[in-house]
Amino acid sequence: MRDAVTSLIKNYDLAGRYFDRNAIDSLKSYFDSGTARVQAAAAINSNAAGLVKQAALKLYEELPELIRPGGNSYTTRRYAACLRDMDYYLRYATYALVAGNTNVLDERVLQGLRETYNSLGVPIGPTVRGIQILKDLIKEQVAAAGVVNTAFVDEPFDHITRELSEQDI
């Protein structure tokens, strides 16, 4: 797993260049947001299970057909699998949030996810909506924890939804 610093160093090293103003500004931005990133991770960690459960409840309020007979979350086993997957997205998005880099999502979550979901008959649209709901709940939780600017929370969740959505065109 790479973070914002190691990725930046790797890119400049491959190009055989010294850091320029853009690189320095990027590093400064990452370090300036470090405390907020750690606070956000702590806020998520303190209530991860509750956030996942709340996101699932909101998703099923919006899309009740998912939990009706024939729906993809119908039966206890399928419902539990949905919660497990949402928890999985949350955990890896939190890693990416702290690292300031989405590489871990590409390596550990997104690689082969669409193919797996297609083979299991898991609909992508509700998955994307669930991740968006989760992001909104997390931003509220992080703001309640005292983080003023929660914009950095968007990056990992938007990356997951964008990658799933682009592949579903």
Side-chain angles (χ1 to χ4, degrees), residues 11-120:
N11 290 340
Y12 274 77
D13 185 44
L14 289 173
R17 297 174 37 209
Y18 288 97
F19 284 164
D20 55 18
R21 174 54 50 199
N22 291 337
I24 300 298
D25 289 346
S26 179
L27 287 171
K28 184 177 177 345
S29 174
Y30 174 72
F31 288 121
D32 286 347
S33 66
T35 301
R37 290 174 187 279
V38 171
Q39 284 179 299
I44 292 167
N45 187 49
S46 71
N47 189 28
L51 287 165
V52 168
K53 185 175 180 178
Q54 217 179 343
L57 289 173
K58 282 189 174 201
L59 176 65
Y60 295 134
E61 283 176 12
E62 287 183 20
L63 301 168
E65 64 274 8
L66 292 171
I67 54 175
R68 292 186 184 136
N72 202 62
S73 292
Y74 181 69
T75 73
T76 304
R77 185 180 63 77
R78 286 181 161 190
Y79 183 85
C82 177
L83 293 179
R84 178 206 61 213
D85 287 357
M86 288 182 85
D87 185 64
Y88 186 68
Y89 303 137
L90 178 58
R91 182 165 41 99
Y92 278 99
T94 304
Y95 296 160
L97 188 144
V98 171
N101 188 302
T102 59
N103 286 334
V104 68
L105 297 173
D106 296 330
E107 295 168 3
R108 307 273 170 89
V109 177
L110 295 169
Q111 219 170 49
L113 181 63
R114 187 176 193 300
E115 292 78 15
T116 300
Y117 275 6
N118 282 337
S119 71
L120 296 173

